[in-house]
Every structure is written in C-alpha cells, then in structure tokens.
Amino acid sequence: MLNLLLIGRLKFEDYEVDNIRPLLVASPPFSRLARRYGERRLARFIGVSEILIGALIAARPLAPKASALGSLAATGMFATTLSFLATTPEAWHQRRTEPKLSPAGQFLIKDIVLLGAALFTVAESLRNIRQL
C-alpha cells in the first residue's frame, strides 16, 4: 500500500509522465484516453487512483470493507499493468530467437507479485468482514 501511495505521487512529476508514455501510447484504451485528455492529465488521474487505492487498502484495521474494495481495485490495476506486456513493443527485445524481457518488461513483470499481494489483501479483508 505504501508503494501505491509513493508511485501515485510520482505521477505528478513530468519525468514520470515521460517514463510511462511508451506504455500509454501502445495500449489501445490508454492511447485513446491520452489523446482525449492529454498525457499529463491522464498520468495525474492514474496517480490519484493509485493513491486512493493505497489509502483504501491501508484502511483495513478500521474499515475492512473499504480495504476489500481497494484490494479488488488494485487487482484490476495490476492486471491492467500486466496487459502492457502484450501491447508495448518496448517490453521485449526485438531481435531474439526466443522472447526476452527488456528493462521496460522487467519493470512491468514485478506487478505479478503485486497482483498476488492484492489478492491476498482481498482475502484478508473479506475474512475480517466475516468475523465482525
């Protein structure tokens, strides 16, 4: 959850907009949103979403239902991020006989672990709700 808060905050920095540009323009839904609203505004929306999701997950001791909602949203967010592996040509080394992740692909692949963590926190939050 702290990662989401910190990463969400970065989306308000110009260099982070530059960092995520290849991912946004290669993704059909995000490229349409970037054209419509602009890359900077889209990055800020993503940042606000990440901060909100992180805050909801952190609310587990006080509000397990809100935490479960945040964890479900995180699951969707990380699944979306992993879809960039399929849509971003820069995620793979192009001139290889077998697929190899590029540095951009290596950056994206970490979201498998975060997806697992989100699923774990969904289960924990739902367990806490049942115990109430």
Side-chain angles (χ1 to χ4, degrees), residues 85-112:
L85 285 168
T87 60
T88 306
E90 292 89 359
W92 302 94
H93 287 290
Q94 297 297 317
R95 295 185 198 131
R96 302 282 184 172
T97 55
E98 70 278 353
K100 292 197 186 243
L101 290 170
S102 69
Q106 293 170 32
F107 165 77
L108 292 169
I109 202 77
K110 61 133 174 51
D111 281 4
I112 290 175

Side-chain angles (χ1 to χ4, degrees), residues 54-69:
L56 286 170
I57 293 170
R60 187 170 66 87
L62 302 172
K65 288 181 183 179
S67 183
L69 177 64

Side-chain angles (χ1 to χ4, degrees), residues 40-58:
R40 179 176 284 137
R41 189 175 290 161
L42 178 57
R44 288 181 176 163
F45 176 77
I46 292 168
V48 168
S49 300
E50 290 170 335
I51 291 167
L52 179 61
I53 289 168
L56 286 170
I57 293 170

Side-chain angles (χ1 to χ4, degrees), residues 2-65:
L2 183 59
N3 285 351
L4 288 175
L5 299 172
L6 295 172
I7 292 169
R9 165 62 187 94
L10 289 177
K11 297 299 186 291
F12 291 84
E13 302 289 338
D14 288 338
Y15 80 92
E16 182 64 7
V17 176
D18 293 338
N19 288 341
I20 66 172
R21 179 174 291 118
L23 305 174
L24 297 178
V25 299
S27 168
F30 282 97
S31 65
R32 284 191 292 274
L33 290 170
R35 280 193 305 273
R36 182 169 185 161
Y37 299 108
E39 293 172 357
R40 179 176 284 137
R41 189 175 290 161
L42 178 57
R44 288 181 176 163
F45 176 77
I46 292 168
V48 168
S49 300
E50 290 170 335
I51 291 167
L52 179 61
I53 289 168
L56 286 170
I57 293 170
R60 187 170 66 87
L62 302 172
K65 288 181 183 179

